[in-house]
Amino acid sequence: MTGTTVEPDEAVRLRNSVVDTLCAEAWITTPEVEAVMRAVPRHAFAPEVSVEKAYEPYAAVITKTDEHGVQLSSVSAPQIQALMLEQAQVQPGMRVLEIGSGGLNAAYLAELVGGDGEVTTVDIDPVVTDRARRLLDEHGYDQVVVVTADAAEPIPGLGKVDVVMVTAGAWDIPPTWIDQLTPGGRLVVPLRMRGLTRSVAFTRVGDHLESESAKICGFVPMQGSTAHNEELLLVNGTPEIGLRFDDGLPTDPSLLDNAVTYPRFEMWTAVTIGVSELLDTLQMHLAISLPGFCIMAVDPELDSGIVAPANKGFALAAVDDQGRTFGYLTTRRTEDNKHVEFGVHALGPDAAAFAETLAGHLRDWAGEHRGGPGPVIRVYPAGTPDERISGARVIDKVHSRISLSWPAQR
């Protein structure tokens, strides 16, 4: 379906190289996805950057920012696009809805569905859809339907689809995304849960969704009626230490005001991991287990050493049940320099007890979930009664109730 323009040899070489890398690292696992990623000229859909930049395996191409430099639209990294295309399991003849336009991903989908299938791509921003329409037409994908609309609402005339692929970060699942899926249809979405984003492949089961896979990812957040911002709690009222809560602040945030006046309590847990080991299940375990779960960040320009996380921009943290003490995870290298050991720091009147609580959850993860599958994620319509929902943690959002539960013990 691509145009007839002759590509430079360097672009072909770079494209084949990135696909070879993604195959070797198992981001691409099927010949169908491999074929379309070799066929479609990625650089042609990212004219804002050089050919070399367009083919960096793990780098997105930013196509629009606001006046403050906040990213509003991008072409996802090849690794993320491969991941989501594999999760979607698109077959020839399918009808596919893409939410969040850029042009490139719609071209991949058009190749996968073939001449008997249909692809509709939707974005709320007319600048984005104008760009997508132009690039798709230029490169032989004029059969893709481009719509400017808020995709949280039904798309007029669309009807049922086999796959919905969302390419913007979503905090909620609008009812229309489920309603427009055929029975057994798939929704692939970067879903934010308690501040953690996962690309989740869901299957429609009756009136709800059940996950088949979930992988760490990052995306430009959704705009429109389903947009949602995290809430930031500045500890002690200063911007040095910020706690980001995805589902609402503690009941009385002022109770944390004096936490930093207490000495920092530190303990090391003897739980060690390899320096390259993924922490996706640890993050989800703490998010499920701790009611006060949050993400801590430290302003490097204001850092006075009150807290000492290993990663100042992203540390797993929590506030205790009384709301007076907070703690976070940190790490240090082991003597062999091939592993890191987890530690827990806590500040507040109950620091020692809360540090032990955090350490206990860390040890539970190491014994029960480390190296295993992530939690099963189910999405129910808002208002679904509790007795119909099973899960260790239920997150209530505007349009949905999301349950998280671990599969049977290994």
Side-chain angles (χ1 to χ4, degrees):
M1 295 181 189
T2 55
T4 58
T5 303
V6 176
E7 290 186 74
D9 291 342
E10 181 64 4
V12 176
R13 185 191 70 79
L14 289 169
R15 183 159 69 255
N16 285 328
S17 176
V18 72
V19 172
D20 290 343
T21 297
L22 297 177
C23 288
E25 297 183 358
W27 294 109
I28 296 176
T29 59
T30 62
E32 293 81 6
V33 172
E34 178 183 353
V36 300
M37 293 196 72
R38 291 193 191 278
V40 179
R42 175 181 170 85
H43 64 284
F45 289 87
E48 297 84 356
V49 298
S50 67
V51 173
E52 292 77 12
K53 184 71 174 177
Y55 286 108
E56 292 183 6
Y58 303 101
V61 176
I62 307 306
T63 58
K64 184 179 179 182
T65 59
D66 66 11
E67 66 273 19
H68 305 294
V70 176
Q71 299 174 12
L72 298 178
S73 182
S74 68
V75 178
S76 298
Q79 172 253 331
I80 291 293
Q81 289 184 310
L83 163 64
M84 297 185 74
L85 289 172
E86 293 288 1
Q87 287 182 306
Q89 299 181 14
V90 176
Q91 301 296 319
M94 282 187 169
R95 304 186 73 242
V96 179
L97 170 64
E98 180 195 29
I99 297 173
S101 296
L104 176 59
N105 203 62
Y108 289 145
L109 293 169
E111 293 281 353
L112 287 168
V113 303
D116 293 330
E118 298 177 24
V119 175
T120 300
T121 182
V122 181
D123 201 283
I124 197 171
D125 189 335
V127 174
V128 173
T129 51
D130 287 349
R131 176 186 182 278
R133 178 75 278 164
R134 173 176 57 82
L135 292 172
L136 288 164
D137 288 347
E138 286 177 359
H139 299 288
Y141 296 96
D142 55 330
Q143 80 279 23
V144 174
V145 178
V146 181
V147 178
T148 304
D150 185 344
E153 303 298 327
I155 307 301
L158 179 64
K160 296 286 187 180
V161 297
D162 303 291
V163 173
V164 175
M165 179 181 284
V166 183
T167 58
W171 180 80
D172 202 354
I173 304 293
T176 186
W177 294 2
I178 301 176
D179 294 343
Q180 65 200 358
L181 275 177
T182 58
R186 298 175 75 81
L187 168 68
V188 179
V189 55
L191 182 61
R192 199 170 83 228
M193 299 161 288
R194 312 214 76 198
L196 306 173
T197 301
R198 299 291 186 269
S199 177
V200 188
F202 289 107
T203 298
R204 179 175 178 176
V205 181
D207 67 344
H208 72 282
L209 304 171
E210 295 193 9
S211 67
E212 291 189 2
S213 65
K215 304 291 184 180
I216 290 178
C217 66
F219 268 85
V220 173
M222 189 77 65
Q223 301 178 59
S225 60
T226 55
H228 178 83
N229 293 320
E230 297 174 317
E231 295 187 73
L232 179 65
L233 172 58
L234 299 178
V235 177
N236 204 30
T238 72
E240 177 185 351
I241 306 168
L243 303 179
R244 302 201 312 268
F245 294 86
D246 202 39
D247 303 302
L249 296 174
T251 303
D252 186 355
S254 66
L255 293 177
L256 271 184
D257 286 350
N258 294 321
V260 296
T261 65
Y262 289 82
R264 186 172 73 216
F265 182 85
E266 302 181 2
M267 66 180 300
W268 294 96
T269 64
V271 175
T272 61
I273 62 168
V275 292
S276 300
E277 185 173 339
L278 290 177
L279 299 180
D280 53 341
T281 55
L282 172 60
Q283 294 174 351
M284 294 304 297
H285 176 71
L286 296 181
I288 292 171
S289 304
L290 295 166
F293 178 80
C294 58
I295 305 297
M296 185 181 78
V298 181
D299 187 326
E301 296 183 359
L302 300 175
D303 185 11
S304 63
I306 294 175
V307 294
N311 183 342
K312 295 185 186 298
F314 185 96
L316 303 176
V319 175
D320 73 350
D321 292 339
Q322 287 72 43
R324 302 181 303 171
T325 299
F326 73 97
Y328 59 90
L329 266 57
T330 188
T331 59
R332 64 182 179 187
R333 287 288 184 119
T334 56
E335 290 185 2
D336 64 8
N337 209 35
K338 297 179 180 179
H339 299 80
V340 294
E341 179 187 6
F342 279 108
V344 178
H345 294 175
L347 295 94
D350 304 304
F354 193 49
E356 186 55 52
T357 296
L358 294 177
H361 287 298
L362 181 62
R363 296 186 185 104
D364 289 344
W365 164 78
E368 298 175 8
H369 303 302
R370 179 180 177 182
V376 177
I377 306 165
R378 295 180 175 88
V379 179
Y380 299 87
T384 301
D386 289 344
E387 55 267 22
R388 285 197 53 211
I389 299 177
S390 62
R393 168 71 56 187
V394 176
I395 307 169
D396 283 307
K397 305 207 173 189
V398 176
H399 298 293
S400 62
R401 306 192 73 191
I402 299 175
S403 75
L404 305 169
S405 56
W406 293 99
Q409 295 293 324
R410 290 176 289 164

